[in-house]
Amino acid sequence: MAFEPREPQKELKYDELRIYTDEELNNYTEEELKDFKIKHDIPDVEELEKGPWPSFVADAKREALHRRKLAEDRMLIERDVVEDLLGQLQVSFDDGETHWKHGGIVGVFGYGGGVIGRYSDLQEKFPSIAHFHTLRVNQPASKFYSTDYLRCICDLWEYRGSGLMNMHGSTGDIIFLGTFTEQLEPIFYELGHVLQQDLGGSGSNLRTPSCCIGRARCEWACFDTQDMCYELTHYYQDELHRPAFPYKFKFKFDGCPNCCVASIARADMSFIGTWRDEIRIDQEAVQAYINGEIQPNAGAHAGKDWGKFDIEKEVINLCPTQCMWMEDGKLMIDNKECTRCMHCINVMPRALRPGVDTGVSILFGAKAPILEGAQMSLLTVPFMKVEHPYDNVKELIEKVWDWWMEEGKNRERLGELIQRWGVPKFLEVIGLPPMPQMVKEPRSNPYIFWKEEDVPGGWKRTIEDYRKRHVR
Amino acid sequence: MALSTERLGLYNPDKPMENRLTDLGPRHFWQYFPPIIQKNYGKWKYHEILEPGILVHVSETGDEVFTIRCGGCRFMTVEHVREICEIADKHCDGYVRFTTRNNIEFMVDSKDKMEALKKDLMSRKHVSGSYKFPIGGTGAGVTNIVHTQGYLHCHTPATDASSMVKAVLDDLFDYFQGMTLPAQVRISMACCLNMCGAVHCSDIALLGYHRKPPVVDHEVLDAVCEIPLVIAACPTGAISPSKTEDGKKTVKIKEERCMFCGNCYTMCMAVPLSDKEGDCVTIMAGGKVSNRIHPPKFSKVVVPALPNNFPRFPEVCDAVKKIVEAYAADAKKYERIGDWAERIGWEKFFEKCGLPFSEHLIDDYRLAYDTYRTSTQFKYTDAAWEVSKAAGGID
């Protein structure tokens, strides 16, 4: 199946869009790079060129040399920007403190996010990074790219910025690291008009949603993570660009309970693929695992001799609900007892597959520790069918946002609001009944906030009436 | 329309709203899928890890896609991305993918192409010797460390990120390229408690932490900050309004109530916390996000503070290695670090890892009671004998 974009996608051909010539792109030799010294003395930073892991310092020096050898008029911010950044890093090592100033309000007109202001506090020493603003560029779902697109991004960012980026930031955006204020609007215009590409979120906005690789290259994706991520990102562009929330709000889409994008730990609203029918079993493949013809766990443990695969020990006994057994040489699963933890499927991917009646579990409220401690998401909707255009999901999202925008305090994440008001209130607001699956165990204190309407006869009583029965 | 080269490009500062395009969103994903991915979308049947860093996914159509996963630095230059493009053009018909953990994935549709690609990737090194595209990060090993900006771009860090990650991964490189561990080990790094990297559910989390209360810039505080917001920002109520001798409005801080979260500094630039001696690295362990076997877990603090010893953080590397090696030697197949620690008991975790246990590791913040052990089930370790001795219970 092919997906239709919401709007026709302009085809991007690097050769038609490029800024730099091949000569400019190949303007230094390996020998020159070996002999290259940046303008600052950075002994501790250069120490990080040693060792086998890719050195970000070695990479930065390439860009520094490349900029040195470009003509003056082939970059619109200072050519020394990389050298000054490495110089400031060395000073930060020396001082044991960062040298970036606190914040700075910059942005593009009409958006309340997507640009992070940054200024050096050593501007005399490192003038080319006096301004070093970040732009967040909304990545395509699950981070596949064509080289045409990437090369265009590279030319744009080298010409109008530092040429330094993150592939990718923690939330998922492509991060452009470091440019001057003057170039923010021009970059935004180039992105929009030439590359049909928007910025991502920052501040008290919907943050750039992200998803796992999903059906593109995984056999376990229980819903179209990319499509849902794309649709909701587009549908909620206003919320993504214009701050109207108490604080940040994140959507993350995990195709199965393995949670490769950590939605359960990081998203205010976590979508996790699951199924409600039976695990599909290929009994012949089960036998092949038992006979040692197929490596368990797709070969993930091949680096060490763990002995012969033992289905009892490695699958059946590790099943958290003990809902599996062998019978007449066949693997049996009591699916109604299964909690879909994925262990058996992970161990025997060629024998076991998720069911075919799939959907998502929806959980709310995960966040990092600031401020009231870290939270993981609360299981709220056990199973929901999700099909484009996801109207049922949108309806739920908007109920949650309405409540949070009404009641949330400044910088209060959804998870904290749920804690402050209690889960029963949250359920009332979103109109869902409670279920035991929402808790690990029922409460161990009886301090129930009974409501007047819960109690026969209500709360209206008089002391006179009481005294008729009980003398003082 | 080519990318423009005029200084302000398509933007006219005299008419800033003219021709402004907004709310375009991200580009559509489908166009970036290689043909084999488009053709087999939703049809994948199973996968195998052929060797560390190399996967094959097999489709119901019989198609196979071979993926080579390479470690990448989150901080990456356009020069590096262009080299990635050169490789992708040469071997992968111009397509490439990045993972959520900053790895780079090159995909090809045949084994022959995979071998050529592998050879090419392994041959590429920086002039100073490090690999550009180390292959690994799959299965029961250590994959790439996700991290935050640190001194390269952040205004609140208590340590640096890229350097620490480089140092730790140099040390754990064999685990990245091997699959010798009981299960996968996910290491994450955040340079302050804001945890842009959300490291709180990682097998091992490295966290920059401030340890000195904020210093107040009384001269400017009232001019640059909203005092009520600064006061409200403090989770322990340690900040209250105050006045300077010459009558300027400011705040005062009850230092013994500070738990160094830095939330006040996020709200107000006039209360900085960073300090060369105070700032340190905290190590947490035993968290995970997967629902496999056991539910997701938070990471627990196992080393309260190690020095910011730039650029290679030997103490941090040493502690991480101790944890990984003790886990590798002792855990059962499929057990994550947290599962292992819970099975053997946290007292044994500290013993086996050779990590000291100090009072800092006993929770005394909210909900601390949830972590108290209220049973007689424990194991004897040296730490237990020390307590018995101190209590006069044994000689």
Side-chain angles (χ1 to χ4, degrees), chain A residues 130-416:
Chain A
H131 301 198
F132 200 67
H133 308 317
T134 292
L135 292 108
R136 294 184 180 168
V137 178
N138 196 331
Q139 83 288 358
S142 70
K143 305 187 181 80
F144 280 84
Y145 294 99
S146 69
T147 54
D148 277 308
Y149 174 84
L150 287 177
R151 287 179 199 273
C152 291
I153 288 281
C154 289
D155 276 20
L156 166 65
W157 182 237
E158 187 163 53
Y159 192 69
R160 295 186 184 273
S162 68
L164 302 171
M165 45 204 221
N166 289 153
M167 294 300 281
H168 297 72
S170 300
T171 300
D173 300 276
I174 300 171
I175 309 282
F176 285 175
L177 273 182
T179 193
F180 269 64
T181 306
E182 177 204 64
Q183 284 301 321
L184 294 173
E185 287 286 2
I187 290 166
F188 179 68
Y189 268 73
E190 293 297 305
L191 284 172
H193 288 260
V194 185
L195 302 179
Q196 200 182 6
Q197 168 68 60
D198 209 339
L199 298 180
S202 66
S204 293
N205 289 357
L206 174 64
R207 296 300 183 86
T208 308
S210 72
C211 63
C212 72
I213 192 166
R215 290 182 173 167
R217 203 202 56 204
C218 180
E219 62 270 34
W220 297 325
C222 294
F223 67 106
D224 278 313
T225 55
Q226 282 103 347
D227 186 60
M228 193 160 163
C229 184
Y230 176 82
E231 169 60 25
L232 293 185
T233 307
H234 276 265
Y235 189 76
Y236 292 117
Q237 280 291 294
D238 191 33
E239 287 76 4
L240 197 149
H241 296 303
R242 295 168 196 91
F245 290 153
Y247 200 13
K248 63 180 93 167
F249 196 94
K250 297 186 179 183
F251 294 142
K252 289 188 191 293
F253 306 89
D254 274 310
C256 84
N258 281 332
C259 281
C260 289
V261 290
S263 66
I264 204 162
R266 303 190 53 188
D268 299 86
M269 192 167 182
S270 325
F271 298 92
I272 303 176
T274 193
W275 62 96
R276 60 174 170 172
D277 53 349
E278 304 194 333
I279 292 176
R280 285 173 283 169
I281 308 181
D282 176 343
Q283 296 289 356
E284 275 179 35
V286 172
Q287 282 308 317
Y289 279 103
I290 292 172
N291 298 337
E293 292 154 27
I294 309 173
Q295 290 205 69
N297 215 119
H301 295 79
K304 182 176 165 179
D305 181 9
W306 291 92
K308 189 172 182 290
F309 174 67
D310 179 345
I311 195 169
E312 286 287 338
K313 192 171 134 199
E314 299 186 34
V315 180
I316 293 172
N317 292 348
L318 289 180
C319 169
T321 64
Q322 302 285 296
C323 69
M324 312 178 84
W325 69 97
M326 294 299 294
E327 199 171 298
D328 302 329
K330 287 194 167 155
L331 180 66
M332 310 298 283
I333 301 175
D334 184 357
N335 278 280
K336 66 184 186 309
E337 296 300 315
C338 171
T339 50
R340 301 167 310 285
C341 83
M342 294 294 293
H343 175 65
C344 58
I345 296 174
N346 286 327
V347 175
M348 304 195 292
R350 289 174 74 168
L352 301 177
R353 303 171 75 187
V356 291
D357 188 2
T358 58
V360 295
S361 296
I362 302 177
L363 299 83
F364 287 98
K367 56 180 279 293
I370 292 288
L371 194 56
E372 294 293 328
Q375 288 181 227
M376 278 189 262
S377 283
L378 166 77
L379 175 66
T380 307
V381 179
F383 184 87
M384 189 184 261
K385 286 300 243 186
V386 284
E387 301 293 340
H388 192 95
Y390 311 103
D391 289 337
N392 51 352
V393 174
K394 289 170 184 166
E395 197 181 318
L396 179 61
I397 289 169
E398 286 161 30
K399 279 185 204 164
V400 171
W401 281 351
D402 283 348
W403 179 59
W404 181 50
M405 288 197 284
E406 182 74 24
E407 301 295 347
K409 295 192 283 192
N410 182 37
R411 297 185 78 233
E412 185 172 47
R413 293 284 286 270
L414 176 67
E416 290 162 321

Side-chain angles (χ1 to χ4, degrees), chain A residues 1 9-10 16-17 25 28 44 47-55 59 62-63 76 92 94-98 100-102 109 111 118 132 134 142-147 149 151 155 158-160 163 165-168 170 177 182-183 185 188-190 193-196 198 215-217 219 224 226 230 234 237 242 257 259 261 265-266 297-301 303 314 320 341 343 346-347 350 353 367 369-372 374 411, chain B residues 1-7 11 16 18-28 30-33 37 41-42 44 46-49 57 60 67 73-80 82-83 85 89 94-98 100 102 105 107 128 130-132 134 140 144 149 151-155 163 166 169-170 179-180 182 194-196 198 200 233 263 265-267 269 274-276 289 291-293 296 298 310-312 333-334 366:
Chain A
M1 66 183 285
Q9 295 281 287
K10 192 193 287 184
E16 292 163 12
L17 304 178
L25 292 181
Y28 60 91
D44 294 319
E47 218 289 322
L48 295 166
E49 289 189 74
K50 298 174 189 157
W53 186 257
S55 169
D59 183 23
R62 284 206 285 189
E63 179 60 19
L76 295 178
S92 298
D94 296 339
D95 294 349
E97 289 180 315
T98 189
W100 298 109
K101 286 189 188 181
H102 189 287
F109 276 107
Y111 278 14
R118 193 63 73 226
F132 200 67
T134 292
S142 70
K143 305 187 181 80
F144 280 84
Y145 294 99
S146 69
T147 54
Y149 174 84
R151 287 179 199 273
D155 276 20
E158 187 163 53
Y159 192 69
R160 295 186 184 273
M165 45 204 221
N166 289 153
M167 294 300 281
H168 297 72
S170 300
L177 273 182
E182 177 204 64
Q183 284 301 321
E185 287 286 2
F188 179 68
Y189 268 73
E190 293 297 305
H193 288 260
V194 185
L195 302 179
Q196 200 182 6
D198 209 339
R215 290 182 173 167
R217 203 202 56 204
E219 62 270 34
D224 278 313
Q226 282 103 347
Y230 176 82
H234 276 265
Q237 280 291 294
R242 295 168 196 91
C259 281
V261 290
R266 303 190 53 188
N297 215 119
H301 295 79
E314 299 186 34
C341 83
H343 175 65
N346 286 327
V347 175
R350 289 174 74 168
R353 303 171 75 187
K367 56 180 279 293
I370 292 288
L371 194 56
E372 294 293 328
R411 297 185 78 233
Chain B
M1 185 185 358
L3 289 163
S4 53
T5 51
E6 296 78 27
R7 175 154 279 279
Y11 175 63
E18 191 177 70
N19 295 327
R20 180 167 291 267
L21 284 176
T22 64
D23 302 74
L24 297 175
R27 288 181 63 87
H28 194 254
W30 188 257
Q31 64 200 301
Y32 299 128
F33 290 165
I37 296 293
Y41 187 90
W44 299 105
Y46 66 88
H47 74 283
E48 268 178 65
I49 305 170
H57 286 78
E60 284 164 1
T67 302
C73 296
R74 164 183 164 141
F75 176 80
M76 197 175 273
T77 71
V78 295
E79 281 291 273
H80 196 67
R82 286 173 180 140
E83 187 165 350
C85 291
D89 282 343
Y95 297 95
V96 65
R97 167 178 194 257
F98 294 80
T100 47
N102 305 116
E105 289 186 340
M107 284 166 233
S128 38
S130 65
Y131 285 100
K132 285 177 177 170
N144 206 345
Q149 300 285 20
Y151 291 165
L152 282 174
H153 201 257
C154 183
H155 65 297
S163 54
K166 163 73 175 149
L169 278 169
D170 275 342
M179 300 190 294
T180 55
N194 277 327
M195 282 197 194
C196 299
H200 54 286
N263 200 43
Y265 184 61
T266 297
M267 298 306 290
M269 58 83 80
S274 73
D275 181 88
K276 184 174 189 171
V289 294
N291 288 273
R292 182 175 184 175
I293 306 178
F298 287 124
F310 305 109
R312 287 238 165 227
K333 194 177 178 185
Y334 306 115
R366 290 167 197 159

Side-chain angles (χ1 to χ4, degrees), chain B residues 91-324:
Chain B
H91 300 275
C92 315
D93 302 322
Y95 297 95
V96 65
R97 167 178 194 257
F98 294 80
T99 73
T100 47
R101 299 191 75 88
N102 305 116
N103 292 311
I104 306 149
E105 289 186 340
F106 295 101
M107 284 166 233
V108 291
D109 56 14
S110 80
K111 211 162 193 168
D112 290 344
K113 289 183 190 170
M114 185 270 281
E115 289 297 338
L117 170 61
K118 181 179 152 191
K119 209 172 144 196
D120 188 354
L121 291 168
M122 280 163 57
S123 72
R124 292 176 189 253
K125 286 187 169 184
H126 285 292
V127 289
S128 38
S130 65
Y131 285 100
K132 285 177 177 170
F133 301 102
I135 297 170
T138 52
V142 171
T143 190
N144 206 345
I145 300 180
V146 288
H147 63 93
T148 54
Q149 300 285 20
Y151 291 165
L152 282 174
H153 201 257
C154 183
H155 65 297
T156 67
T159 187
D160 185 43
S162 303
S163 54
M164 193 191 299
V165 166
K166 163 73 175 149
V168 172
L169 278 169
D170 275 342
D171 254 31
L172 297 180
F173 195 68
D174 289 347
Y175 292 109
F176 175 79
Q177 293 211 310
M179 300 190 294
T180 55
L181 296 173
Q184 66 267 49
V185 171
R186 298 278 182 264
I187 307 179
S188 309
M189 193 279 153
C191 46
C192 84
L193 195 59
N194 277 327
M195 282 197 194
C196 299
V199 302
H200 54 286
C201 294
S202 304
D203 292 282
I204 300 178
L206 311 172
L207 175 66
Y209 212 93
H210 302 293
R211 284 187 302 173
K212 293 191 183 182
V215 280
V216 184
D217 190 347
H218 297 294
E219 282 304 305
V220 300
L221 191 135
D222 189 37
V224 297
C225 308
E226 294 280 349
I227 288 179
L229 285 182
V230 187
I231 292 169
C234 182
T236 64
I239 303 177
S240 53
S242 177
K243 276 196 175 156
T244 61
E245 275 178 20
D246 53 352
K248 274 198 177 107
K249 280 187 190 167
T250 183
V251 298
K252 61 178 187 293
I253 293 170
K254 220 174 232 169
E255 297 192 334
E256 70 277 12
R257 282 171 83 164
C258 180
M259 47 84 157
F260 318 99
C261 67
N263 200 43
C264 52
Y265 184 61
T266 297
M267 298 306 290
C268 172
M269 58 83 80
V271 285
L273 285 88
S274 73
D275 181 88
K276 184 174 189 171
E277 296 161 324
D279 292 355
C280 69
V281 183
T282 294
I283 299 184
M284 303 166 81
K288 67 172 195 130
V289 294
S290 148
N291 288 273
R292 182 175 184 175
I293 306 178
H294 301 284
K297 303 177 209 270
F298 287 124
S299 314
K300 285 88 183 167
V301 181
V302 294
V303 181
L306 292 170
N308 268 337
N309 201 344
F310 305 109
R312 287 238 165 227
F313 302 89
E315 297 85 355
V316 174
C317 293
D318 182 54
V320 170
K321 226 170 170 177
K322 277 181 177 167
I323 296 170
V324 173

Side-chain angles (χ1 to χ4, degrees), chain A residues 104-136:
Chain A
I105 297 177
V106 291
V108 296
F109 276 107
Y111 278 14
V115 183
I116 321 291
R118 193 63 73 226
Y119 298 93
S120 170
D121 68 11
L122 298 171
Q123 301 193 357
E124 282 186 15
K125 196 165 182 192
F126 304 115
S128 69
I129 55 169
H131 301 198
F132 200 67
H133 308 317
T134 292
L135 292 108
R136 294 184 180 168

